[in-house]
Amino acid sequence: APRVLSGIQPTADSFHLGNLLGALRQWVALQDDHEAFYCVVDLHAITVEQDPAVLRRRTLVSAAQLLALGVDPERSALFVQSHVPEHAQLGWVMQCLTGFGEASRMTQFKDKSTREGAGPTSVGLFTYPVLQAADILLYQAARVPVGEDQRQHLELTRDLATRFNSRYGPTFTMPEPYIPQGTAKVLDLQSPDKKMSKSLPDAGCINLLDDARATAKKIRSAVTDTGREVVADPVGKPGVTNLLTIHSAFSGQSVAELEQHFAGSGYGDLKKEVAAVVTEALAPVQARTAELLADTAELERVLAAGAARARGVAAPTLATVYERVGFLPPL
Ligand code: ATP
Ligand code: MG
């Protein structure tokens, strides 16, 4: 079966609706016909300052949420990035293949390093897309389920794979981004000109682990647009369109059907229904996450097995790369 790889950063106490609809749902679905490698990317998380105890805790909570959402450790390798040292090792080789100007063109770096309240900018934040390329190429992944914000990084990964293959001989599978229709960029409820993000203020972010009251409150306070008709219009009504998209993703009704359904009603009715469909879908995920975290021994066993399985693929890829670039094999 073709391989798939994706990762998510343990940079918050909970994942959010953007992560779920942009990426994690596809992680779960792709397991049916792919050999999947899914990781909690703690190396990426430290590109901005993290409290060590908080990072450790969030790594476990992240893994628990992934299992609760349906990542199946019998079929897929679920692991922590730092448990597989080949990521950092291939990352270095990829850095030496990347042009400085090429790395400088990554728009997410520009956004994150200039964001209000961003601390001092690390070199790691600058080179993180190159490490991400290594994450993907190590597993010879054919598909990479991600949100729209990762499209440019996937292009870089493809460029680096092409460069390596032409310089040293065919080594890496060419990965394709796997980006969903409609939900590739879920917007922040307070700033619907920005994507929902773990590292933006919490008020506009629907966390998977928020309780039903907090979720309903955030949705009630969502910024809507002038006018009163519930119709999708990404340019004129980004806030309303975002809520319709979220409704549709959970209810399974199309946006056109929802426009019909809400004809004659107002933004308040839309918000009430969005809160209902979202909280209903999240309740079982929250219950399962809590169960998995009640005793983390099982979780840690899953992560150890996942790392062993991942290394089984990553180590031979790295060995080939080291040999091709001319490193003297150790005895
Ligand atoms: P951070 O702010 O720390 O970067 P994040 O919310 O962007 O956190 P990541 O861990 O960087 O989350 O990304 C995990 C996955 O979720 C990626 O595939 C990314 O493309 C996807 N994703 C993140 N935010 C959204 C969003 N608002 N809409 C759709 N997909 C998203
Ligand atoms: Mg991100």
Side-chain angles (χ1 to χ4, degrees):
R3 296 225 179 99
V4 20
L5 172 291
S6 198
I8 187 158
Q9 304 192 71
T11 40
D13 293 330
S14 170
F15 298 147
H16 57 70
L17 283 192
N19 300 137
L20 175 60
L21 303 178
L24 302 179
R25 271 194 175 178
Q26 286 65 248
W27 288 26
V28 173
L30 285 167
Q31 296 178 112
D32 294 342
D33 41 16
H34 291 76
E35 187 189 352
F37 295 84
Y38 295 136
C39 51
V40 179
V41 289
D42 50 355
L43 299 181
H44 290 289
I46 64 163
T47 55
V48 298
E49 194 176 337
Q50 303 291 338
D51 175 275
V54 172
L55 178 60
R56 221 176 332 267
R57 176 73 192 161
R58 286 175 171 175
T59 300
L60 275 179
V61 176
S62 296
Q65 287 173 89
L66 293 172
L67 293 174
L69 288 167
V71 170
D72 174 5
E74 298 296 322
R75 292 185 289 165
S76 307
L78 175 66
F79 63 100
V80 175
Q81 186 187 26
S82 64
H83 293 178
V84 181
E86 287 80 3
H87 288 254
Q89 292 173 299
L90 183 62
W92 177 256
V93 177
M94 288 296 141
Q95 283 193 50
C96 297
L97 222 65
T98 308
F100 188 83
E102 188 173 36
S104 308
R105 284 195 290 276
M106 297 298 117
T107 57
Q108 198 179 90
F109 173 75
K110 292 179 203 165
D111 292 348
K112 279 199 174 178
S113 56
T114 57
R115 187 179 285 171
E116 203 183 299
T121 304
S122 71
V123 174
L125 185 65
F126 182 68
T127 59
Y128 117 80
V130 184
L131 177 60
Q132 191 180 328
D135 298 340
I136 296 165
L137 299 176
L138 262 183
Y139 299 95
Q140 310 288 359
R143 288 192 185 89
V144 185
V146 285
E148 181 62 40
D149 64 306
Q150 295 300 321
R151 191 183 287 281
Q152 193 189 29
H153 295 163
L154 256 294
E155 259 326 297
L156 175 68
T157 302
R158 292 168 57 85
D159 289 345
L160 293 175
T162 304
R163 194 168 307 154
F164 191 99
N165 288 350
S166 66
R167 197 172 294 177
Y168 301 107
T171 306
F172 294 123
T173 302
M174 197 56 65
E176 299 276 353
Y178 187 85
I179 298 176
Q181 294 271 319
T183 56
K185 186 176 176 183
V186 177
L187 303 176
D188 185 274
L189 299 190
Q190 288 298 316
S191 317
D193 55 329
K194 300 193 180 72
K195 82 165 189 77
M196 195 177 276
S197 203
K198 289 193 227 97
S199 44
L200 280 181
D202 191 60
C205 183
I206 304 294
N207 296 309
L208 305 190
L209 302 182
D210 280 344
D211 65 42
R213 276 189 57 197
T215 301
K217 179 159 185 249
K218 285 179 185 176
I219 293 173
R220 220 171 28 243
S221 329
V223 169
T224 37
D225 314 287
T226 51
R228 42 206 310 195
E229 264 179 290
V230 179
V231 290
D233 170 6
V235 178
K237 289 175 176 262
V240 169
T241 307
N242 193 41
L243 291 173
L244 283 167
T245 303
I246 292 170
H247 189 312
S248 169
F250 286 102
S251 65
Q253 292 173 266
S254 71
V255 169
E257 283 166 346
L258 291 171
E259 287 174 335
Q260 286 259 307
H261 170 75
F262 286 110
S265 36
Y267 295 162
D269 303 295
L270 169 64
K271 288 175 169 179
K272 240 181 242 156
E273 276 200 30
V274 171
V277 293
V278 170
T279 53
E280 191 191 317
L282 295 185
V285 177
Q286 295 171 359
R288 183 71 189 125
T289 303
E291 246 171 57
L292 287 159
L293 289 170
D295 171 13
T296 56
E298 168 63 11
L299 199 53
E300 284 166 87
R301 199 195 54 76
V302 164
L303 293 174
R309 200 151 138 200
R311 289 200 82 178
V313 175
T317 305
L318 185 75
T320 304
V321 166
Y322 272 19
E323 195 264 317
R324 300 238 157 121
V325 302
F327 291 166
L328 183 69
L331 262 191

